[in-house]
């Protein structure tokens, strides 16, 4: 019995995404047969006490208070970047140039320029067998992976409409404190890049079509927030009368989009889309929703009911209505490795499936998906949305 080689991971950052990724690195080899066995070799962060606590809680073998040490160490094969967007380019480029595979959280970067540089370095590294992926984890939700399978199998026919909403409400309280997600120099944008990016990637991936143009509207409802306060989850509550700092990103993003056509001769237009991303949809906690309407059928997904997919099949009698598919059958994506039919999965499983697909691709020496080039396309859409919102003409080609 040959010993399976380890894949020694060095993770940068240990907050929410660090926790989700740690869980995924530990769990993936326990439920899936992988060509390499992930090892939680080291976690890096700036605060030594917080870092040691996280290493102990999530099971990392060692700590580094400077991420550059992870790049220098020869006992690390892959760098997992779970830090704010303004750090992605420097870390990913250094890691790839040092011959380490990279998993980088979304969005890939804070600007198209950074994303282009990262993509060029990643493509050169891939020729040396050094591979990379961007962490658009919702692709690994079984119901969305099933939607992709159904579109690819022609069950919806030609797609006419894409309707994507990503609704959260953790900033509805005007006194929720100023965090890095509200500082453009760190996050790049607000709801647009943090959650809208997921909708853009999922829509492009499932339809197989790129966005070619947008017309957008961005809004910042609360212009200043408390500098400190009790941070709870992503938001929390700061003092109403303490010092306040400026919010420099969007609170909500709305945009229409055109997708490329499947007809090279331009005989028919591609799908048209409408996107909404906000953290002010009071009562909506993590409602990542996607509906596609095609010529043969429609699908509708809501992450707040993530183990099911609504499907309307035009081939059935018109009054058949939408059917609720419980995406828990062994024939569905990823589900055979977990529980018997009907028992369902959670948010964290998307990250575990992301590790499964990444490690499987690395083991096979194949380009993982989404690549940095796929993530660059999302970055171009984000930039076009911002340019359109800033531009009176409102229409921006991507
Ligand atoms: C916050 O909006 C957030 O944590 C995003 O940053 C994640 O990408 C998403 O999976 C959940 O919500």
């Amino acid at each position: 019995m040959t010993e399976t080689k380890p894949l020694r991971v060095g993770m940068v950052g240990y907050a929410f995404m660090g926790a989700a990724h740690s869980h995924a690195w530990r769990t993936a080899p326990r439920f899936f047969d992988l060509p390499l066995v992930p090892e939680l070799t080291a976690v890096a962060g700036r605060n030594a006490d917080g870092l040691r606590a996280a290493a102990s809680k999530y099971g990392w073998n060692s700590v580094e208070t400077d991420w550059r040490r992870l790049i220098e160490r020869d006992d690390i094969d892959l760098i997992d970047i779970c830090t704010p967007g303004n750090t992605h380019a420097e870390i990913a480029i250094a890691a790839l140039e040092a011959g380490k595979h990279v998993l980088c959280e979304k969005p890939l970067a804070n600007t198209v320029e950074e994303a282009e540089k990262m993509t060029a370095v990643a493509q050169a590294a891939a020729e040396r067998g050094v591979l990379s992926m961007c962490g658009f984890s919702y692709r690994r939700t079984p119901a969305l992976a099933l939607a992709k399978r159904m579109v690819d199998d022609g069950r919806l026919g030609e797609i006419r409409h894409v309707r994507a909403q990503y609704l959260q409400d953790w900033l509805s309280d005007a006194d929720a404190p100023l965090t890095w997600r509200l500082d453009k120099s760190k996050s790049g944008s607000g709801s647009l890049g943090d959650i809208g990016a997921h909708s853009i990637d999922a829509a492009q991936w499932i339809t197989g079509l790129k966005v070619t143009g947008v017309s957008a509207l961005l809004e910042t409802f609360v212009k200043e927030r408390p500098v400190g306060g009790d941070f709870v989850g992503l938001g929390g509550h700061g003092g109403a009368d303490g010092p306040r700092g400026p919010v420099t990103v969007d609170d909500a993003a709305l945009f229409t989009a055109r997708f490329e056509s499947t007809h090279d001769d331009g005989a028919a237009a591609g799908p048209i889309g409408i996107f909404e991303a906000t953290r002010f949809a009071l009562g909506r906690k993590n409602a990542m929703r996607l509906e596609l309407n095609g010529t043969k059928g429609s699908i509708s997904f809501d992450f707040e009911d993530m183990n099911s997919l609504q499907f309307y099949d035009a081939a059935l009698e018109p009054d058949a209505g939408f059917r609720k598919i419980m995406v828990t059958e062994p024939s569905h994506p990823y589900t055979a490795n977990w529980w018997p039919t009907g028992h369902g999965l959670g948010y964290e499983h998307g990250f575990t499936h992301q590790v499964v697909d990444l490690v499987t691709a690395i083991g096979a020496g194949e380009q993982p998906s989404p690549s940095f080039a796929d993530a660059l396309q999302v970055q171009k859409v984000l930039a076009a949305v911002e340019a359109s919102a800033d531009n009176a003409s409102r229409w921006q080609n991507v």
Side-chain angles (χ1 to χ4, degrees), residues 16 106 138 166 168 170 181 194-195 198 234 286 347:
F16 178 9
K106 44 46 68 182
Y138 283 109
Y166 198 152
Q168 296 179 338
W170 56 274
R181 279 187 167 90
D194 183 26
I195 50 180
H198 280 299
L234 296 163
N286 199 42
Y347 174 72

Side-chain angles (χ1 to χ4, degrees), residues 33-368:
D33 294 331
L34 299 179
L36 300 163
V37 179
E39 242 175 50
L40 284 70
T41 307
V43 55
R46 287 166 304 184
N47 173 306
D49 293 342
L51 187 60
R52 268 194 293 277
S56 147
K57 178 176 181 182
Y58 300 131
W60 289 88
N61 299 338
S62 65
V63 299
E64 296 289 353
T65 52
D66 179 349
W67 61 265
R68 294 168 186 80
R69 277 286 302 133
L70 300 184
I71 311 271
E72 290 157 8
R73 285 174 56 165
D74 57 12
D75 65 337
I76 287 175
D77 307 308
L78 180 144
I79 300 293
D80 182 8
I81 305 172
C82 294
T83 50
N86 63 310
T87 65
H88 291 182
E90 183 183 16
I91 299 171
I93 289 170
L96 289 164
E97 288 179 344
K100 299 196 191 298
H101 305 297
V102 170
L103 170 59
C104 182
E105 259 297 326
K106 44 46 68 182
L108 185 65
N110 284 358
T111 65
V112 169
E113 294 65 33
E114 284 177 339
E116 283 171 339
K117 214 181 299 173
M118 294 166 81
T119 301
V121 171
Q123 286 167 340
E127 279 155 36
R128 305 193 306 276
V130 179
L131 300 168
S132 48
M133 177 201 263
C134 186
F136 284 107
S137 56
Y138 283 109
R139 292 182 175 215
R140 271 84 195 190
T141 302
L144 286 178
L146 177 62
K148 166 79 176 162
R149 186 190 290 178
M150 292 170 74
V151 169
D152 288 352
D153 291 348
R155 302 289 301 279
L156 273 64
E158 200 156 336
I159 306 297
R160 296 285 186 238
H161 283 285
V162 173
R163 199 164 297 107
Q165 298 172 315
Y166 198 152
L167 313 175
Q168 296 179 338
D169 70 358
W170 56 274
L171 284 176
S172 305
D173 177 350
D175 290 329
L178 208 56
T179 65
W180 67 267
R181 279 187 167 90
L182 300 170
D183 174 354
K184 189 173 182 65
S185 70
K186 293 196 172 60
S187 61
S189 62
S191 61
L192 175 63
D194 183 26
I195 50 180
H198 280 299
S199 300
I200 297 165
D201 177 68
Q204 294 187 130
W205 176 63
I206 292 173
T207 61
L209 300 170
K210 290 180 178 170
V211 169
T212 57
V214 296
S215 177
L217 180 60
L218 299 181
E219 188 52 76
T220 302
F221 300 115
V222 176
K223 313 281 188 199
E224 289 190 333
R225 287 184 176 273
V227 173
D230 315 326
F231 293 87
V232 177
L234 296 163
H237 196 83
D241 46 13
R244 298 177 92 87
V247 172
T248 52
V249 296
D250 58 282
D251 284 330
L254 305 178
F255 59 99
T256 56
R258 274 198 185 287
F259 289 76
E260 57 188 340
S261 168
T262 52
H263 299 270
D264 296 340
D265 59 4
I272 54 175
I274 187 153
F275 291 77
E276 180 182 8
T278 180
R279 299 174 299 197
F280 278 71
L282 204 54
R284 299 298 180 200
K285 300 306 174 182
N286 199 42
M288 191 268 191
R289 298 171 170 172
L290 186 66
E291 179 162 320
L292 301 183
N293 307 126
T295 52
K296 291 184 181 169
S298 293
I299 55 105
S300 180
F301 169 78
D302 183 345
F303 185 81
E304 291 190 347
D305 181 13
M306 68 167 280
N307 288 290
S308 72
L309 183 69
Q310 299 282 345
F311 173 46
Y312 181 88
D313 183 350
L316 303 181
E317 59 280 1
D319 58 3
F322 273 87
R323 175 163 63 91
K324 181 171 186 173
I325 302 172
M326 283 311 294
V327 188
T328 60
E329 297 304 315
S331 61
H332 291 146
Y334 308 106
T335 44
N337 288 64
W338 296 101
W339 323 125
T341 176
H343 289 69
L345 301 180
Y347 174 72
E348 73 281 10
H349 290 87
F351 291 87
T352 300
H353 301 155
Q354 178 170 265
V355 163
V356 169
D357 292 344
L358 173 59
V359 175
T360 303
I362 290 173
E366 288 165 5
Q367 174 57 54

